[in-house]
Amino acid sequence: MLNPSEPVSVEAITEQARQMRQHNADTIGRRLSRGERLSAEVLYDILHAQTLAGWWLLVDRHIRHARGGRGLASEETVARFVSWISPYLDDDASALDTATSCRILGLHCEHELALAHFERALALIRQDAARTFLAQAKTLQPASPAEAPSSSSAQEAKA
């Protein structure tokens, strides 16, 4: 586990997210193969890890693209993802009232009600993953001079 008080690299965070996603996928696969019941906690962990890893793997892909001279530097890439992910913190999905949703949405069967709750749960998982992503992004070490954007790429980014 990374120490939150020390600056870390995007690569370290990405690798940690990848490992957590793999660990949770192995856990869920093992439980399914044994015919065990999947708890809400196990499902939450795998979906949270999947969401977080997905975002960091996209950051990593964008940074690798930039190193080829065709994109943004790592700090700019992370800043862009921070701006894209930040709105998840304000997601109002936690305000869903079951009784009201049944009346307003006309949910009459268990299937529709379960789907409404699952959608709410997924929104809450994204919200928590966004909180984790943003906290991790704050721990990143500054880019090395080799990763700093050139003046021409900085001008392109402003254009």
Side-chain angles (χ1 to χ4, degrees):
M1 198 62 143
L2 300 174
N3 183 351
S5 63
E6 295 179 19
V8 295
S9 67
V10 170
E11 293 82 7
I13 291 175
T14 302
E15 184 56 32
Q16 179 190 27
R18 185 181 284 124
Q19 288 174 1
M20 183 59 72
R21 181 183 66 171
Q22 187 61 49
H23 168 75
N24 286 316
D26 292 345
T27 299
I28 202 169
R30 199 170 37 256
R31 287 180 180 232
L32 285 172
S33 68
R34 293 181 191 163
E36 295 177 13
R37 179 182 165 275
L38 296 178
S39 69
E41 186 172 351
V42 169
L43 291 173
Y44 186 96
D45 289 345
I46 189 69
L47 293 170
H48 183 273
Q50 182 69 30
T51 302
L52 195 57
W55 288 336
W56 281 113
L57 291 171
L58 282 172
V59 167
D60 184 58
R61 185 178 302 153
H62 281 250
I63 290 171
R64 288 175 193 254
H65 184 72
R67 287 186 183 140
R70 299 172 299 231
L72 301 174
S74 62
E75 286 181 351
E76 294 173 89
T77 300
V78 171
R80 181 170 284 181
F81 275 83
V82 163
S83 71
W84 289 341
I85 292 168
S86 292
Y88 286 116
L89 294 177
D90 300 326
D91 194 347
D92 199 22
S94 61
L96 179 67
D97 176 19
T98 305
T100 304
S101 65
C102 285
R103 285 192 308 276
I104 294 173
L105 299 176
L107 302 177
H108 298 291
C109 72
E110 292 83 3
H111 179 258
E112 290 173 335
L113 187 57
L115 290 178
H117 280 289
F118 199 60
E119 286 296 332
R120 177 181 180 216
L122 291 172
L124 290 169
I125 291 168
R126 280 190 303 271
Q127 191 173 51
D128 188 31
R131 194 173 292 108
T132 303
F133 180 93
L134 297 172
Q136 289 174 331
K138 287 180 182 177
T139 68
L140 291 174
Q141 63 192 8
S144 67
E147 289 185 38
S150 66
S151 60
S152 63
S153 66
Q155 289 173 355
E156 290 173 14
K158 291 179 185 177

